[in-house]
Amino acid sequence: KWSEEGVEKSVTSPMSLIITGFAPVTDIRQTLHQLYNESFDLHQRLEESLEPLGNWELTFHYSVESSLPLSVKLDLLTIVKELVTNCCKHSNSSQVRLVLVEQPSFFSLIYKDNGSLLSQSQKGIGLYSIEEIVQKYKGSMTIDQTDGYHLHLIFRKEAIEL
């Protein structure tokens, strides 16, 4: 005998099993994501991204105490990789300095080289990408081409969920 209540129960029951069955999968996914974030050593990854600059006189300083979200770590790594690529392709520098420091209300990323070939007035796609990332964190980007190439990026902590 067919009843509307019986059909509703038969549909609801498997559906609730499916929904509750996905809860552990979601928990596992979140746990794995958290483990990956914790195992993602930004300091080490930044050092590795500087390896193409092996022939340059390199100074690297890292001072970040906060536990950053994975998305922020990946954005910072993307920026540094772009800077390294630009240096290798466009600069005649022999010295590179990279500093990432945490301040009370912001993070500061400073890149400086002593090259003279990056005096182009136009920004390339890479610099636009960097600027976009900086804006995502309510930051600022300053470029100075006096005595080499100097890029100073600020990332506001208020825009980062620490």
Side-chain angles (χ1 to χ4, degrees):
K1 187 174 176 183
W2 181 84
S3 75
E4 194 173 307
E5 184 180 308
V7 170
E8 191 174 302
K9 281 183 183 177
S10 66
V11 170
T12 305
S13 182
M15 197 58 146
S16 65
L17 284 174
I18 290 170
I19 291 170
T20 57
F22 279 123
V25 173
T26 301
D27 291 344
I28 290 169
R29 186 180 52 78
Q30 288 171 343
T31 301
L32 287 174
H33 182 75
Q34 184 178 356
L35 284 172
Y36 181 67
N37 184 31
E38 291 170 6
S39 69
F40 189 99
D41 184 346
L42 180 60
H43 184 234
Q44 178 186 344
R45 295 289 182 101
L46 291 175
E47 283 182 336
E48 290 169 1
S49 72
L50 297 172
E51 287 176 3
L53 301 177
N55 295 331
W56 280 257
E57 184 181 319
L58 181 63
T59 305
F60 175 53
H61 177 73
Y62 179 93
S63 179
V64 175
E65 297 298 321
S66 294
S67 177
L68 297 172
L70 182 60
S71 60
V72 175
K73 292 177 183 180
L74 292 172
D75 283 340
L76 290 169
L77 182 60
T78 298
I79 288 170
V80 171
K81 285 183 174 184
E82 181 61 34
L83 293 172
V84 168
T85 299
N86 284 349
C87 181
C88 291
K89 284 185 176 180
H90 306 294
S91 177
N92 66 348
S93 65
S94 60
Q95 299 171 341
V96 174
R97 181 171 185 246
L98 181 72
V99 177
L100 177 60
V101 293
E102 180 176 2
Q103 302 292 340
S105 62
F106 61 90
F107 295 93
S108 177
L109 179 67
I110 300 167
Y111 170 89
K112 179 151 180 59
D113 71 36
N114 65 343
S116 61
L117 297 180
L118 273 176
S119 60
Q120 302 164 340
S121 59
Q122 295 180 1
K123 287 184 194 174
I125 294 172
L127 280 178
Y128 279 114
S129 298
I130 290 172
E131 194 170 38
E132 206 172 88
I133 292 169
V134 170
Q135 289 173 357
K136 183 164 91 172
Y137 300 108
K138 299 180 182 176
S140 63
M141 179 169 105
T142 306
I143 299 173
D144 179 11
Q145 296 179 355
T146 308
D147 195 29
Y149 187 80
H150 183 198
L151 183 71
H152 187 186
L153 309 175
I154 300 290
F155 304 87
R156 301 274 170 212
K157 283 185 174 179
E158 67 192 40
I160 301 170
E161 293 183 28
L162 297 176

